[in-house]
Amino acid sequence: MIKKLIDKLLGKTEPAKDSRSAHPRGKRVEVPKEEHGIDLSLVDERAIKVVQTLADAGFEAYIVGGAVRDLLLGLRPKDFDVATNATPEEVKGLFRRAFIIGRRFRIVHVVFGRGRDHEVIEVSTFRAMMDAAAADQVSGNEKTSRSELAGKSHVVDAEGRVLRDNVWGPQIEDAARRDFTVNAMYYDPQREIVVDYHGGIKDAKKRLLRMIGDPETRYREDPVRIVRVVRFAAKLGFEIEPHTRTPIQAMASLLDNVPQSRMFDEVIKLLQTGHSLASLEELRKQGLHRGVFPILDVALDEAHRHDGREKFIQLALADTDRRVSENKAVAPSFMLACMLWHDVHDGWQKLRAKGEPPFPALQQAIDAVFDARIGDISGRGKLGADMREIWMMQPRFDRRVGNAPFTLVEQPRFRAGFDFLRLRADAGEIDATLAEWWEDFSLGDDEERRALMDAAREQDHVRRAATPSAAPASAAGDPAKKRRRRRRKPAGAGAPATVPDGDASQ
């Protein structure tokens, strides 16, 4: 009896008999460097400093989660999280710049540096395993039941989804409540050991994603795990273990009750993994190609209508994956602008066919797409403003006379708008020579730009002369009248300041 009590205090509890029970406790195994082979030079020195500061203060502290998984695979993690037995308040008190954030999960952001060069190490407190049956229950979600959630530490909704999880506990229970075995390992960079409770190292070597505990129960606790398992499978090239995979399609409806803002964040993560094409294919493979999120419907289903949008979206996502592989910035606004462009374009053309002027027609089409695909999440914020600017820039590329080209290349978001134009050209939606002209113009000096504008003017003259509508004016021999029309066009282009300034990088 005493031995069992000591083992429990040391975290050496025996594993549950049913390995797929709701929350099997696992067994603590300390794996030395000779076995796990993690290269300490791949570990961010700021994460090591956080662990050391907590340890020096008498707390347990480990690098945890995806960073440990990536280190085991020989990859340099993008983000580092730390787990500790210190409470958020105790963590905050140890660092000069630390902030407690979150309601569903209270965590601490320890900030290093300032401005664009700042880095954040996320620190969470070990959480206890809690029986959903013993939790407080509310009928709504995070937003609709906010008043009922006030002051409570462990709350679930009617479907069993965890809305609050801020009950602290030992590391063995913290490991059991994590989602996948490969994400439930703890690395001590001082002793260079990996603490593994659920065979995560073995599954990492097998390249296998396995849910800890009963998959249906775990998906019910947090349906976003359905999207996460797909993202990890695509990003890591892992197989989804059969028991983990089987309930996915049947339980996808649980995603309907997840706040749209959280789903939106997950979709953005999925598209920015550097494996967006593989992620979307994995969603289709798991039967999630409709209804997960309206934006994804475009890429997963409607893009296969073979009306030109499939090639455009495939090129856009491939370009995004390439940029991620080259460690270049990827703006969510650019990706989403690509994915929703054909919705905007179709609406724009329909409004123009009804006699609506080009710019107002485009603005109305954009509003309609935001309402249908994005709603009120980010479509009215900076992300939406950047998307609008990219789209509103497209008809302005047709104007290559007067001051319009000089004004356009000075726009802070010109590069994003041009990259979008280039993708349209690569997909065969527009003449490739237009994208080539703008690339030359943006890189040319004043003399080269004037020569390009003269060539564009001559091309426009030849094009108008070759069309039936231009024949009467040509026959009348009235070049002055045609010149006046050309002079009025840039004035019309420069008048509507309809697009806000945004970030210049894609």
Side-chain angles (χ1 to χ4, degrees), residues 423-489:
L423 281 174
R424 293 175 65 202
D426 291 344
E429 183 181 311
I430 59 170
D431 190 339
T433 57
L434 181 63
E436 292 168 2
W437 188 94
W438 276 101
E439 182 167 19
D440 292 341
F441 186 85
S442 66
L443 299 174
D445 56 28
D446 288 345
E447 184 177 347
E448 291 168 332
R449 288 179 173 185
R450 292 295 178 188
L452 285 165
M453 291 177 68
D454 289 342
R457 187 178 295 110
E458 182 61 29
Q459 290 171 6
D460 290 345
H461 175 75
V462 172
R463 189 180 299 112
R464 283 197 299 271
T467 59
S469 60
S474 178
D478 187 6
K481 186 175 181 181
K482 282 185 282 188
R483 280 197 297 273
R484 282 196 300 273
R485 284 201 301 269
R486 287 198 298 272
R487 282 197 298 272
R488 284 197 299 269
K489 282 187 178 180

Side-chain angles (χ1 to χ4, degrees), residues 39-350:
D39 182 354
L40 188 61
S41 68
L42 295 176
V43 181
D44 191 303
E45 61 182 13
R46 287 156 291 205
I48 294 176
K49 183 176 181 180
V50 170
V51 170
Q52 185 173 353
T53 300
L54 286 162
D56 290 346
F59 298 107
E60 293 181 69
Y62 301 82
I63 293 168
V64 69
V68 183
R69 178 200 66 217
D70 290 349
L71 289 167
L72 285 169
L73 297 174
L75 305 174
R76 186 181 296 277
K78 182 179 178 182
D79 301 303
F80 285 84
D81 298 337
V82 169
T84 177
N85 63 345
T87 66
E89 290 76 15
E90 289 170 332
V91 174
K92 186 178 187 299
L94 292 173
F95 299 93
R96 187 169 60 86
R97 296 183 66 212
F99 309 91
I100 298 175
I101 67 167
R103 293 190 183 94
R104 184 169 180 265
F105 299 115
R106 292 179 69 234
I107 58 177
V108 180
H109 278 180
V110 179
V111 183
F112 294 87
R114 295 184 181 276
R116 289 190 173 186
D117 295 329
H118 83 282
E119 289 288 337
V120 173
I121 304 298
E122 190 171 283
V123 184
S124 62
T125 303
F126 294 151
R127 284 171 169 78
M129 286 193 307
M130 298 295 292
D131 186 353
D136 293 314
Q137 187 177 105
V138 298
S139 57
N141 59 32
E142 293 92 322
K143 292 186 177 180
T144 60
S145 302
R146 186 169 295 177
S147 61
E148 297 178 63
L149 292 168
K152 296 179 179 178
S153 298
H154 187 222
V155 186
V156 298
D157 68 7
E159 298 293 334
R161 184 168 67 91
V162 178
L163 304 183
R164 287 285 188 277
D165 188 4
N166 292 305
V167 180
W168 319 132
Q171 186 186 54
I172 189 172
E173 294 189 9
D174 186 74
R177 52 167 300 285
R178 292 180 180 269
D179 47 15
F180 309 110
T181 59
V182 295
N183 290 344
M185 294 176 286
Y186 304 77
Y187 177 59
D188 182 344
Q190 296 179 300
R191 293 190 293 158
E192 293 192 66
I193 63 166
V194 171
V195 179
D196 184 3
Y197 289 94
H198 298 279
I201 291 180
K202 183 188 297 184
D203 283 344
K205 290 179 179 179
K206 290 181 180 179
R207 307 187 75 81
L208 192 67
L209 276 175
R210 184 193 309 274
M211 185 72 74
I212 297 172
D214 173 56
E216 287 195 22
T217 301
R218 305 310 305 279
Y219 289 136
R220 199 173 295 281
E221 288 173 348
D222 185 3
V224 169
R225 286 172 177 150
I226 293 170
V227 180
R228 283 166 57 83
V229 71
V230 169
R231 173 158 59 88
F232 288 139
K235 174 185 175 181
L236 302 169
F238 280 24
E239 286 293 321
I240 302 174
E241 184 264 338
H243 290 297
T244 303
R245 183 180 63 245
T246 300
I248 288 177
Q249 193 168 353
M251 304 196 77
S253 61
L254 295 174
L255 291 167
D256 293 341
N257 200 35
V258 176
Q260 284 190 319
S261 57
R262 188 162 178 237
M263 283 297 297
F264 187 85
D265 291 342
E266 286 297 324
V267 168
I268 295 301
K269 289 178 185 177
L270 185 144
L271 295 175
Q272 289 185 311
T273 60
H275 304 82
S276 59
L277 288 169
S279 296
L280 296 182
E281 187 54 40
E282 188 68 32
L283 282 174
R284 178 178 293 281
K285 180 180 174 183
Q286 302 303 329
L288 301 175
H289 59 287
R290 289 289 295 170
V292 174
F293 200 82
I295 292 174
L296 289 185
D297 291 348
V298 179
L300 290 165
D301 193 37
E302 296 176 20
H304 291 260
R305 299 191 308 192
H306 303 291
D307 58 358
R309 65 179 68 193
E310 177 180 15
K311 183 177 181 181
F312 181 79
I313 291 175
Q314 293 281 324
L315 285 171
L317 294 177
D319 187 63
T320 296
D321 290 346
R322 175 187 60 79
R323 291 180 66 87
V324 172
S325 70
E326 296 173 357
N327 293 319
K328 294 181 179 179
V330 177
S333 56
F334 187 87
M335 294 188 299
L336 298 180
C338 290
M339 296 178 73
L340 298 179
W341 168 241
H342 282 85
D343 277 5
V344 170
H345 188 270
D346 291 350
W348 183 31
Q349 296 306 312
K350 289 175 182 177

